[in-house]
Coordinates of all heavy atoms in Angstrom, one line a residue:
I6 N -49.7 -201.5 -100.4 CA -50.4 -202.6 -101.1 C -51.7 -202.1 -101.8 O -52.4 -201.2 -101.2 CB -50.8 -203.7 -100.0 CG1 -49.6 -204.3 -99.3 CG2 -51.6 -204.8 -100.8 CD1 -50.0 -205.2 -98.2
R19 N -58.9 -210.2 -105.4 CA -57.7 -211.0 -105.3 C -57.0 -211.0 -104.0 O -56.5 -212.0 -103.5 CB -56.7 -210.5 -106.3 CG -57.1 -210.6 -107.8 CD -55.9 -210.1 -108.7 NE -56.3 -210.2 -110.2 CZ -55.6 -209.8 -111.1 NH1 -54.4 -209.3 -110.8 NH2 -56.0 -209.8 -112.4
A20 N -57.0 -209.9 -103.4 CA -56.5 -209.7 -102.0 C -57.1 -210.5 -101.0 O -56.5 -210.7 -99.9 CB -56.4 -208.2 -101.6
E21 N -58.3 -211.0 -101.3 CA -59.1 -211.8 -100.2 C -59.0 -213.3 -100.4 O -59.4 -214.0 -99.6 CB -60.6 -211.4 -100.3 CG -60.8 -209.8 -100.0 CD -62.3 -209.5 -100.3 OE1 -62.9 -210.2 -101.1 OE2 -62.8 -208.5 -99.8
L22 N -58.3 -213.7 -101.5 CA -58.1 -215.1 -101.7 C -57.3 -215.8 -100.6 O -56.4 -215.2 -100.1 CB -57.5 -215.4 -103.1 CG -58.4 -215.0 -104.3 CD1 -57.5 -215.0 -105.6 CD2 -59.4 -216.1 -104.4
P23 N -57.7 -217.0 -100.2 CA -57.0 -217.6 -99.1 C -55.8 -218.3 -99.6 O -55.6 -218.9 -100.6 CB -57.9 -218.7 -98.6 CG -58.7 -219.2 -99.9 CD -58.8 -217.8 -100.6
I24 N -54.6 -218.1 -98.8 CA -53.3 -218.7 -99.1 C -52.5 -218.8 -97.8 O -52.4 -217.9 -97.0 CB -52.6 -217.8 -100.1 CG1 -51.2 -218.4 -100.5 CG2 -52.3 -216.3 -99.6 CD1 -50.5 -217.6 -101.6
A25 N -51.9 -220.1 -97.6 CA -51.1 -220.3 -96.5 C -51.8 -220.0 -95.2 O -51.2 -219.4 -94.3 CB -49.8 -219.7 -96.6
G26 N -53.1 -220.3 -95.0 CA -53.8 -220.1 -93.8 C -54.1 -218.6 -93.5 O -54.5 -218.2 -92.4
Q27 N -54.1 -217.8 -94.5 CA -54.5 -216.4 -94.4 C -54.9 -215.9 -95.8 O -55.0 -216.5 -96.8 CB -53.3 -215.6 -93.8 CG -52.0 -215.7 -94.7 CD -50.8 -215.2 -94.1 OE1 -50.9 -214.4 -93.2 NE2 -49.7 -215.8 -94.5
T28 N -55.3 -214.5 -95.9 CA -55.6 -214.0 -97.1 C -54.2 -213.5 -97.9 O -53.2 -213.4 -97.3 CB -56.5 -212.8 -96.9 OG1 -55.8 -211.8 -96.2 CG2 -57.7 -213.1 -96.3
V29 N -54.4 -213.4 -99.2 CA -53.2 -212.8 -99.9 C -52.8 -211.4 -99.4 O -51.6 -211.2 -99.3 CB -53.6 -212.7 -101.4 CG1 -52.5 -211.9 -102.2 CG2 -53.8 -214.0 -102.1
L30 N -53.7 -210.6 -98.9 CA -53.4 -209.4 -98.3 C -52.5 -209.5 -97.1 O -51.5 -208.8 -96.9 CB -54.6 -208.6 -97.9 CG -54.5 -207.2 -97.3 CD1 -53.8 -206.2 -98.2 CD2 -55.8 -206.7 -96.7
E31 N -52.9 -210.5 -96.2 CA -52.1 -210.7 -95.0 C -50.7 -211.2 -95.3 O -49.7 -210.8 -94.7 CB -52.8 -211.6 -94.1 CG -54.1 -211.1 -93.4 CD -55.0 -212.2 -92.7 OE1 -54.6 -212.4 -91.7 OE2 -55.8 -212.7 -93.4
H32 N -50.6 -212.0 -96.3 CA -49.3 -212.5 -96.7 C -48.4 -211.5 -97.2 O -47.3 -211.4 -96.8 CB -49.4 -213.7 -97.7 CG -48.2 -214.4 -98.1 ND1 -47.2 -213.9 -98.9 CD2 -47.7 -215.6 -97.6 CE1 -46.2 -214.7 -99.1 NE2 -46.5 -215.8 -98.2
Q33 N -49.0 -210.6 -98.0 CA -48.3 -209.4 -98.5 C -47.8 -208.5 -97.4 O -46.7 -208.0 -97.4 CB -49.2 -208.6 -99.5 CG -49.4 -209.4 -100.9 CD -50.3 -208.5 -101.7 OE1 -51.3 -208.0 -101.2 NE2 -50.1 -208.5 -103.0
G34 N -48.7 -208.2 -96.5 CA -48.4 -207.3 -95.4 C -47.3 -207.9 -94.5 O -46.4 -207.2 -94.1
R35 N -47.3 -209.2 -94.1 CA -46.3 -209.8 -93.4 C -44.9 -209.8 -94.0 O -43.9 -209.6 -93.5 CB -46.7 -211.2 -92.9 CG -47.9 -211.2 -92.1 CD -48.3 -212.6 -91.6 NE -49.5 -212.7 -91.1 CZ -50.0 -212.3 -89.8 NH1 -49.0 -211.8 -89.1 NH2 -51.3 -212.4 -89.5
L36 N -45.0 -210.0 -95.3 CA -43.8 -210.0 -96.2 C -43.2 -208.7 -96.1 O -41.9 -208.6 -95.9 CB -44.0 -210.4 -97.6 CG -42.9 -210.3 -98.6 CD1 -41.8 -211.4 -98.2 CD2 -43.4 -210.4 -100.0
L37 N -43.9 -207.6 -96.2 CA -43.4 -206.2 -96.2 C -42.8 -205.9 -94.9 O -41.8 -205.3 -94.8 CB -44.5 -205.2 -96.6 CG -44.9 -205.3 -98.1 CD1 -46.1 -204.5 -98.3 CD2 -43.7 -204.8 -99.1
V38 N -43.5 -206.3 -93.8 CA -42.9 -206.1 -92.4 C -41.6 -206.8 -92.2 O -40.7 -206.4 -91.7 CB -44.0 -206.5 -91.4 CG1 -43.4 -206.4 -90.0 CG2 -45.2 -205.5 -91.5
E39 N -41.6 -208.0 -92.8 CA -40.4 -208.8 -92.6 C -39.2 -208.2 -93.3 O -38.1 -208.3 -93.1 CB -40.6 -210.2 -93.2 CG -39.6 -211.3 -92.8 CD -39.6 -211.8 -91.4 OE1 -40.6 -211.4 -90.7 OE2 -38.8 -212.6 -91.1
I45 N -47.8 -200.4 -92.9 CA -48.4 -200.9 -94.2 C -49.6 -200.0 -94.5 O -50.5 -199.7 -93.7 CB -48.9 -202.3 -94.0 CG1 -47.8 -203.2 -93.6 CG2 -49.5 -202.8 -95.4 CD1 -46.6 -203.4 -94.5
I47 N -52.7 -199.7 -97.2 CA -53.4 -200.5 -98.1 C -54.4 -199.5 -98.8 O -55.2 -198.9 -98.2 CB -54.3 -201.6 -97.3 CG1 -53.4 -202.5 -96.5 CG2 -55.2 -202.3 -98.2 CD1 -54.1 -203.4 -95.6
L55 N -64.1 -208.6 -95.7 CA -62.9 -209.5 -95.6 C -61.7 -208.7 -95.6 O -60.8 -209.1 -94.8 CB -63.0 -210.4 -96.9 CG -63.9 -211.6 -96.9 CD1 -63.8 -212.4 -98.1 CD2 -63.7 -212.5 -95.6
L56 N -61.6 -207.6 -96.2 CA -60.4 -206.7 -96.3 C -60.3 -206.1 -94.8 O -59.2 -206.0 -94.3 CB -60.5 -205.6 -97.2 CG -60.2 -206.0 -98.7 CD1 -60.2 -204.7 -99.5 CD2 -58.8 -206.6 -98.8
T57 N -61.4 -205.7 -94.3 CA -61.4 -205.1 -92.9 C -60.9 -206.1 -91.9 O -60.1 -205.8 -91.0 CB -62.8 -204.5 -92.5 OG1 -63.2 -203.6 -93.6 CG2 -62.8 -203.9 -91.2
Q58 N -61.4 -207.4 -92.0 CA -61.0 -208.4 -91.1 C -59.6 -208.8 -91.2 O -58.9 -209.0 -90.3 CB -61.9 -209.6 -91.3 CG -63.4 -209.4 -91.0 CD -64.3 -210.6 -91.5 OE1 -63.8 -211.6 -91.9 NE2 -65.6 -210.3 -91.5
A59 N -59.1 -208.8 -92.5 CA -57.7 -209.2 -92.7 C -56.8 -208.1 -92.0 O -55.8 -208.3 -91.4 CB -57.5 -209.3 -94.1
S60 N -57.2 -206.8 -92.2 CA -56.4 -205.7 -91.7 C -56.4 -205.8 -90.1 O -55.5 -205.5 -89.5 CB -57.0 -204.4 -92.2 OG -57.0 -204.3 -93.6
A61 N -57.6 -206.1 -89.5 CA -57.7 -206.2 -88.1 C -56.8 -207.4 -87.6 O -56.2 -207.2 -86.5 CB -59.2 -206.6 -87.7
R62 N -56.7 -208.5 -88.3 CA -55.8 -209.5 -87.8 C -54.3 -209.1 -87.9 O -53.5 -209.5 -87.0 CB -56.0 -210.8 -88.8 CG -57.2 -211.5 -88.4 CD -57.3 -212.9 -89.0 NE -57.4 -212.7 -90.5 CZ -58.6 -212.8 -91.2 NH1 -59.7 -212.8 -90.6 NH2 -58.6 -212.7 -92.5
L63 N -54.0 -208.3 -88.9 CA -52.6 -207.8 -89.0 C -52.4 -206.9 -87.8 O -51.3 -206.9 -87.2 CB -52.4 -207.1 -90.3 CG -52.3 -207.9 -91.6 CD1 -52.2 -207.0 -92.8 CD2 -51.1 -208.8 -91.5
R64 N -53.3 -206.0 -87.5 CA -53.1 -205.1 -86.3 C -53.0 -205.9 -85.0 O -52.2 -205.5 -84.1 CB -54.3 -204.1 -86.3 CG -54.3 -203.1 -87.4 CD -55.4 -202.0 -87.0 NE -55.4 -201.1 -88.2 CZ -56.5 -201.0 -89.0 NH1 -57.5 -202.0 -88.9 NH2 -56.6 -200.1 -90.0
R65 N -53.8 -206.9 -84.9 CA -53.7 -207.7 -83.7 C -52.4 -208.3 -83.5 O -52.0 -208.5 -82.3 CB -54.8 -208.8 -83.8 CG -55.0 -209.5 -82.5 CD -56.3 -210.3 -82.5 NE -56.3 -211.4 -83.5 CZ -57.2 -211.5 -84.5 NH1 -58.2 -210.6 -84.6 NH2 -57.1 -212.4 -85.4
D66 N -51.6 -208.5 -84.6 CA -50.3 -209.0 -84.4 C -49.2 -208.0 -84.3 O -48.0 -208.2 -84.3 CB -49.9 -209.9 -85.7 CG -50.6 -211.2 -85.7 OD1 -51.2 -211.6 -84.7 OD2 -50.6 -211.9 -86.7
I68 N -48.9 -205.1 -86.1 CA -48.5 -204.4 -87.3 C -49.2 -203.2 -87.6 O -50.5 -203.2 -87.4 CB -48.7 -205.4 -88.6 CG1 -47.8 -206.7 -88.4 CG2 -48.3 -204.7 -89.9 CD1 -48.0 -207.7 -89.5
V70 N -51.2 -200.8 -89.6 CA -51.9 -200.9 -90.9 C -52.8 -199.6 -91.0 O -53.5 -199.2 -90.1 CB -52.8 -202.1 -90.9 CG1 -53.6 -202.2 -92.2 CG2 -51.9 -203.4 -90.9
L92 N -46.2 -203.6 -103.5 CA -46.5 -204.9 -103.9 C -47.8 -204.9 -104.7 O -48.8 -204.5 -104.1 CB -46.5 -205.8 -102.6 CG -46.4 -207.2 -102.8 CD1 -45.1 -207.7 -103.7 CD2 -46.3 -208.0 -101.5
V97 N -47.7 -212.5 -105.1 CA -47.2 -213.2 -104.0 C -45.8 -213.6 -104.3 O -45.4 -214.2 -105.3 CB -48.0 -214.5 -103.7 CG1 -47.3 -215.3 -102.6 CG2 -49.3 -214.1 -103.2
M230 N -57.4 -222.1 -91.4 CA -56.9 -220.7 -91.0 C -56.5 -220.8 -89.4 O -56.9 -219.8 -88.7 CB -57.7 -219.6 -91.3 CG -58.0 -219.4 -92.8 SD -58.9 -218.0 -93.2 CE -57.6 -216.8 -93.2
L279 N -44.7 -220.9 -92.9 CA -45.5 -220.7 -94.1 C -46.2 -219.4 -94.3 O -46.3 -218.8 -95.3 CB -46.6 -221.8 -94.2 CG -46.1 -223.3 -94.3 CD1 -47.3 -224.3 -94.3 CD2 -45.4 -223.4 -95.7
S280 N -46.7 -218.9 -93.1 CA -47.5 -217.6 -93.1 C -46.7 -216.4 -92.7 O -47.3 -215.3 -92.5 CB -48.6 -217.7 -92.1 OG -48.2 -218.1 -90.7
L281 N -45.3 -216.5 -92.7 CA -44.4 -215.4 -92.4 C -44.7 -214.7 -91.1 O -44.8 -213.4 -91.1 CB -44.5 -214.3 -93.6 CG -44.0 -214.9 -95.0 CD1 -44.3 -213.8 -96.1 CD2 -42.6 -215.3 -95.0
R282 N -44.9 -215.4 -90.1 CA -45.2 -214.8 -88.8 C -44.0 -214.0 -88.4 O -42.8 -214.3 -88.7 CB -45.6 -215.8 -87.8 CG -46.8 -216.6 -88.0 CD -48.0 -215.6 -87.9 NE -49.2 -216.1 -88.5 CZ -50.4 -215.7 -88.3 NH1 -50.7 -214.8 -87.5 NH2 -51.4 -216.2 -89.0
L283 N -44.2 -212.9 -87.7 CA -43.1 -212.0 -87.3 C -42.0 -212.6 -86.5 O -42.4 -213.5 -85.6 CB -43.6 -210.8 -86.5 CG -44.8 -209.9 -87.3 CD1 -45.2 -208.8 -86.5 CD2 -44.2 -209.5 -88.7

Side-chain angles (χ1 to χ4, degrees):
I6 301 173
R19 292 181 184 180
E21 297 170 342
L22 289 167
I24 181 173
Q27 59 194 333
T28 62
V29 169
L30 176 70
E31 289 170 86
H32 188 278
Q33 290 177 318
R35 296 184 194 282
L36 173 68
L37 291 169
V38 171
E39 194 76 2
I45 304 298
I47 301 170
L55 285 177
L56 280 184
T57 304
Q58 292 166 14
S60 302
R62 286 191 291 270
L63 290 173
R64 290 194 186 100
R65 192 166 59 238
D66 287 346
I68 299 174
V70 177
L92 197 51
V97 173
M230 298 188 80
L279 292 175
S280 58
L281 296 175
R282 295 292 160 164
L283 300 181

